[in-house]
Amino acid sequence: MAKTYSQFFSGENRAKSEQNGFYSLTNAEVHEELGILSNKLDLATESATPNEDCISEILSNGDIFLFSTESGKVWKRTAAGVYSLVHTNTNGSNKGCKLWQGYLYYATTTKLGRITEALASSESSWSSQNDSYATFTLSGAYKPMVTIGSGLYIGDGYYVAVVDSTHTFIADAFDMPSQFTCSALGESSDDLLIGTIVGANVGCCKMFGWNRISPSWTFEDRIPEIGINCFIKGDNIIIFQAGTKGRIYYWSGSQGVKMKKIKGVTTTVNPYNSTELEGRSLFAVGTKIYSLHREDGDFPYALACEYTASGTIKSIIADVDDIFVSGGDVVAHIGTTYATTVIETPEAEGSFKRVEVMYRSIAEGATVGIETSVDNADYVSHTSVVDTINKKVSFNGGLGKTNSVQARITLTGLVKIKAINIL
Amino acid sequence: MKIAKCKLTAGGMIGQLSEEKRREHSQEYLQKLIDEGEKIIETYEENGYLVIKMEE
């Protein structure tokens, strides 16, 4: 019996055998038009500098500041796309950064620095900054930052520090049992969510919730993962990525609940690896940037890889219509040429003879490649034949005897496809 | 001038951070600032915090 795979908006599924969704989607646009999958634009290097991995923050005027995590260097990217080195933090490599109440704050392991938002942009070489505005108590390894209500909250080991609205630094606004280290910070309404890690060799951690008024946390949940790696920015849903196996959880209001799993990846603490672009939640894992998105409330949240970078990604940040990706010692952004898109279908059980890709359009010079894996063997490439009358791409010859068939489709240039049929 | 604060009231990690422990921590933090060369203008207690005013 023929199998048709066309629900691209479902994103990646959980296993080859799951017939809903796709086994993998790489550099794929699945949300722009219902029922259509097309190539995403690729990521292109925008500047040779910064030539170090960075975390970043965007100011009100669109200037983006990139803080090296390898050294104290700080670069500015103007809204017009011009990069310049503006400062070197005298306290060493940068661990966190956030705009708060007219100041750009940045943290090393031991110190919190700041500069006014206006002067951060206007000084071609910073002179008005204070790299040692405040001193952390514990010199915690991670410095996630989040703003809620009237405070900038900063993780510092088993403490959370806060800079209040008058820029007073409270070193120990919140404290946890000392075995926990704050690895990521998030928000749930006006509550602070504190993601933790105990250690790389401990298989569980906790999420603490604090209403920011009580002397201690107001709820906690044990998460059976090595650590909370990153809160994923999203509207009306609180999502976080945890552990080393690609699991994604949502926050129910009092507990973390399993939501998705990215197959075949290794994940680590990286609190600056998430952003939102045009309403889509994006987060980076390794060299890939995934979206976790649904176009409206009738659809399921779909996981799909939208972009691939040249190196392991350290941070991503978006402006209005572009993303800036630091990784592999370059900053990349959305380019002007189309990426190579790869789609793997689920494994179809039964006897099949061919694969057809139904398309809407194939731009001049674009190609559709078809490979098949029969009975879970290695993929075998076929010579594609384009039928412009019936708007489908297939191949000549059969597949022999099959118990199961999986198709891998590769799109270069700009191709819009409607369905993949295994017949 | 810049201001840092440390909590003095009991609480936080339940049952462990007594006010006495908090005060000990806050004095350790003050000493850390002095050791790192911060110029202390004044310190005082206010609303359950040790307030440390420093030259910026």
Side-chain angles (χ1 to χ4, degrees), chain A residues 80-92:
Chain A
V82 178
Y83 287 79
S84 59
L85 179 69
V86 291
H87 181 56
T88 299
N89 190 335
T90 52
N91 293 315

Side-chain angles (χ1 to χ4, degrees), chain A residues 50-298:
Chain A
N51 56 355
E52 298 175 4
D53 288 348
C54 296
I55 52 176
S56 51
E57 174 67 324
I58 186 167
L59 303 191
S60 311
N61 65 0
D63 284 358
I64 292 173
F65 284 84
L66 299 117
F67 295 82
S68 172
T69 57
E70 301 177 30
S71 72
K73 289 180 178 175
V74 182
W75 286 270
K76 176 174 73 173
R77 179 197 183 273
T78 67
V82 178
Y83 287 79
S84 59
L85 179 69
V86 291
H87 181 56
T88 299
N89 190 335
T90 52
N91 293 315
S93 61
N94 300 288
K95 303 292 183 186
C97 54
K98 197 76 180 169
L99 179 65
W100 171 242
Q101 195 80 342
Y103 282 85
L104 177 59
Y105 281 90
Y106 50 95
T108 63
T109 303
T110 57
K111 298 285 184 180
L112 180 67
R114 73 171 193 173
I115 182 171
T116 68
E117 185 180 4
L119 292 173
S121 278
S122 66
E123 290 180 349
S124 58
S125 179
W126 286 1
S127 58
S128 61
Q129 84 293 337
N130 182 347
D131 286 345
S132 302
Y133 178 70
T135 301
F136 292 110
T137 315
L138 296 174
S139 306
Y142 309 110
K143 289 291 186 294
M145 297 189 186
V146 68
T147 59
I148 309 176
S150 58
L152 164 64
Y153 294 84
I154 308 165
D156 177 32
Y158 56 87
Y159 281 171
V160 175
V162 63
V163 179
D164 71 15
S165 57
T166 64
H167 299 284
T168 296
F169 178 78
I170 303 171
D172 55 354
F174 174 85
D175 65 282
M176 301 175 281
S178 59
Q179 70 268 32
F180 294 101
T181 294
C182 177
S183 56
L185 290 175
E187 58 190 302
S188 171
S189 183
D190 57 355
D191 289 347
L192 178 67
L193 295 178
I194 301 123
T196 66
I197 183 169
V198 177
N201 298 315
V202 178
C204 69
C205 61
K206 282 193 177 181
M207 181 80 82
F208 294 93
W210 179 41
N211 62 14
R212 303 183 297 118
I213 299 168
S214 299
S216 186
W217 60 88
T218 35
F219 45 84
E220 68 180 79
D221 184 36
R222 180 181 171 277
I223 308 290
E225 303 280 1
I226 286 176
I228 310 298
N229 299 330
C230 180
F231 280 89
I232 298 170
K233 293 178 172 65
D235 188 31
N236 300 328
I237 186 167
I238 300 158
I239 321 164
F240 58 93
Q241 199 281 311
T244 58
K245 307 288 188 188
R247 287 199 187 88
I248 295 166
Y249 292 71
Y250 73 88
W251 185 249
S252 71
S254 59
Q255 291 181 312
V257 181
K258 284 194 179 91
M259 182 181 185
K260 295 275 184 184
K261 182 176 186 292
I262 311 172
K263 297 184 292 290
V265 299
T266 302
T267 41
T268 57
V269 174
N270 222 336
Y272 290 86
N273 250 350
S274 172
T275 192
E276 281 174 298
L277 177 65
E278 296 174 336
R280 283 187 204 185
S281 300
L282 299 179
F283 62 100
V285 174
T287 60
K288 292 184 170 184
I289 296 175
Y290 290 85
S291 65
L292 188 58
H293 181 66
R294 58 180 179 180
E295 202 60 19
D296 70 33
D298 292 337

Side-chain angles (χ1 to χ4, degrees), chain A residues 1-3 5 16-17 19 346-355 373-376 399-406 422-423:
Chain A
M1 186 177 176
K3 296 276 189 179
Y5 300 104
K16 276 184 187 180
S17 57
Q19 297 299 297
E347 191 174 60
E349 291 292 327
S351 179
F352 301 100
K353 293 178 180 171
R354 65 185 190 279
V355 173
S373 166
V374 173
D375 295 351
N376 206 32
L399 294 170
K401 180 183 180 332
T402 73
N403 295 302
S404 67
V405 174
Q406 187 178 18
I422 300 180
L423 306 156

